[in-house]
Amino acid sequence: MQVLVTGITGQVGGALVARSTPDGMNWIPAGRDRVDLSAPRSIAAAIDALAPDAVVNPAAYTAVDVAETDQETAFRVNRDGPAALAAACAARGIPLLQVSTDYVFDGTGSRPYRPSDPVAPLGAYGTSKQEGEEAVRSTLADHVILRTAWVYAATGKNFVNTMLRVGAERDELRVVADQRGTPTPAEDIATVLLTVLKAWQAGVAVRGTHHFTCSGETTWHGLADAVFRRAERHWGRRPIVHPIGTADYPTPAARPAYSVLDNSTLDAALAGFSAVPRQSWEAALDAVLDARLGPLTENTAR
Ligand SMILES: NC(=O)c1ccc[n+]([C@@H]2O[C@H](COP(=O)([O-])OP(=O)(O)OC[C@H]3O[C@@H](n4cnc5c(N)ncnc54)[C@H](OP(=O)(O)O)[C@@H]3O)[C@@H](O)[C@H]2O)c1
């Protein structure tokens, strides 16, 4: 099974192709030089030339705020690119695993969102991802759309690394405390993508739209505070994080106030094949931070 993976310079695609493949599976790593989602008309020929047996598409235009003013590119990459990928997969009779986002929801809910809940994205990024989902759904029966949330990794551009950079320079920060979600490391998403691929390889058809995040929930303020609680063991100091409201930190794109995802359909889809590995967001964060910040010193390892 030759598995083409896009977005290999990104957090999720990078984590996936760094994994060793099980017997009978190989990666075809495809950066934008091989598969350019902003050039949808080039995609069918690119897929034919690389001849995969399955495609995983974590690549996306992920600059949520910039997307508001660069909508043409966001929609080309997040809607038209996946639409072309799905058509190419349909022509070859192969499945597509499309990665999507909690930002397809408007955040007015008060219990974890299920895959079947109505979508109503608030900004251009969320809308482009939602329309990409719709294009995949309507073009290719053999698809999985995996929505995830608040992604971070030890390297890359993400909230956790921003906090580490800013917290190293400042003693006090102000962080939004009225948006709730679930931080999820790219490594854990890669594990789940690999599990779905192994299921396909074993003839277990996982299809449809599913959610995957770590367990639990927090706010950006709670996440920043947890970053510094762990970083203190490495740094010997801990910046203070003051909670502020979304209204105090205006951004070009509106974000959902609540985007916790209900993961139960994925558990059901993979039941009988493999348990979905899921850790609490706090445990996942501590592990990534310890790897990122290096060994604890004698003075700080308390
Ligand atoms: N980050 C989050 O907090 C978050 C939350 C929920 C869902 N998601 C979803 O999770 C998936 C993975 O996100 P991530 O955080 O791993 O993304 P990321 O780190 O921002 O990486 C994005 C990847 O997409 C590639 N890409 C961008 N434009 C492309 C194009 N025109 N053609 C081909 N490749 C292109 C980038 O390649 P270059 O290096 O060449 O630009 C990069 O490898 C995305 O689908 C995203 O929508 C992310």
Side-chain angles (χ1 to χ4, degrees):
M1 188 178 180
Q2 305 292 318
V3 182
L4 186 148
V5 183
T6 66
I8 54 170
T9 53
Q11 303 188 91
V12 173
L16 186 58
V17 295
R19 291 294 174 85
S20 52
T21 49
D23 279 351
M25 196 187 286
N26 291 300
W27 300 133
I28 304 175
R32 70 164 82 202
D33 55 326
R34 293 181 118 179
V35 175
D36 184 355
L37 295 175
S38 70
R41 271 181 285 181
S42 69
I43 286 178
I47 298 297
D48 276 344
L50 295 165
D53 302 305
V55 175
V56 184
N57 182 37
Y61 185 106
T62 54
V64 175
D65 287 319
V66 188
E68 294 298 314
T69 46
D70 188 15
Q71 299 201 7
E72 198 188 322
T73 317
F75 278 86
R76 212 168 337 115
V77 174
N78 291 347
R79 177 193 59 200
D80 303 341
L85 264 186
C89 289
R92 294 186 65 81
I94 62 171
L96 170 64
L97 224 169
Q98 166 77 8
V99 181
S100 193
T101 173
D102 56 330
Y103 281 16
V104 298
F105 296 114
D106 67 7
T108 55
S110 52
R111 54 132 178 91
Y113 281 100
R114 299 173 188 139
S116 56
D117 283 332
V119 293
L122 297 176
Y125 164 76
T127 307
S128 66
K129 291 291 292 183
Q130 185 251 314
E131 292 187 9
E133 287 188 359
E134 207 40 58
V136 169
R137 240 177 243 124
S138 60
T139 307
L140 177 70
D142 278 335
H143 70 262
V144 168
I145 292 165
L146 189 76
R147 295 188 189 129
T148 187
W150 294 31
V151 180
Y152 65 94
T155 57
K157 215 175 158 201
N158 59 61
F159 179 86
V160 170
N161 284 336
T162 301
M163 287 302 108
L164 289 173
R165 179 170 43 78
V166 177
E169 295 161 0
R170 289 197 225 152
D171 292 329
E172 295 189 37
L173 292 84
R174 288 151 39 93
V175 178
V176 170
D178 57 1
Q179 292 171 24
R180 299 193 74 76
T182 308
T184 303
E187 282 294 345
D188 291 28
I189 301 164
T191 301
V192 168
L193 293 172
L194 192 52
T195 305
V196 171
L197 289 167
K198 285 182 191 164
W200 283 350
Q201 190 185 28
V204 178
V206 182
R207 290 196 185 88
T209 304
H210 301 284
H211 293 167
F212 173 76
T213 59
C214 284
S215 60
E217 60 181 79
T218 187
T219 64
W220 295 113
H221 173 270
L223 175 55
D225 205 43
V227 167
F228 295 136
R229 209 178 313 131
R230 196 68 176 187
E232 182 182 17
R233 295 162 53 116
H234 298 265
W235 291 348
R237 58 175 277 278
R238 178 172 170 183
I240 298 164
V241 193
H242 299 287
I244 59 168
T246 298
D248 301 317
Y249 189 75
T251 51
R255 286 153 167 81
Y258 177 87
S259 62
V260 179
L261 300 179
D262 180 324
N263 286 215
S264 51
T265 68
L266 185 66
D267 293 314
L270 282 165
F273 178 73
S274 166
V276 179
R278 184 175 294 106
Q279 49 182 341
S280 74
W281 72 265
E282 294 101 323
L285 177 69
D286 284 352
V288 172
L289 288 174
D290 285 349
R292 165 85 164 66
L293 295 169
L296 296 169
T297 68
E298 223 172 79
N299 290 337
T300 56
R302 276 168 287 154

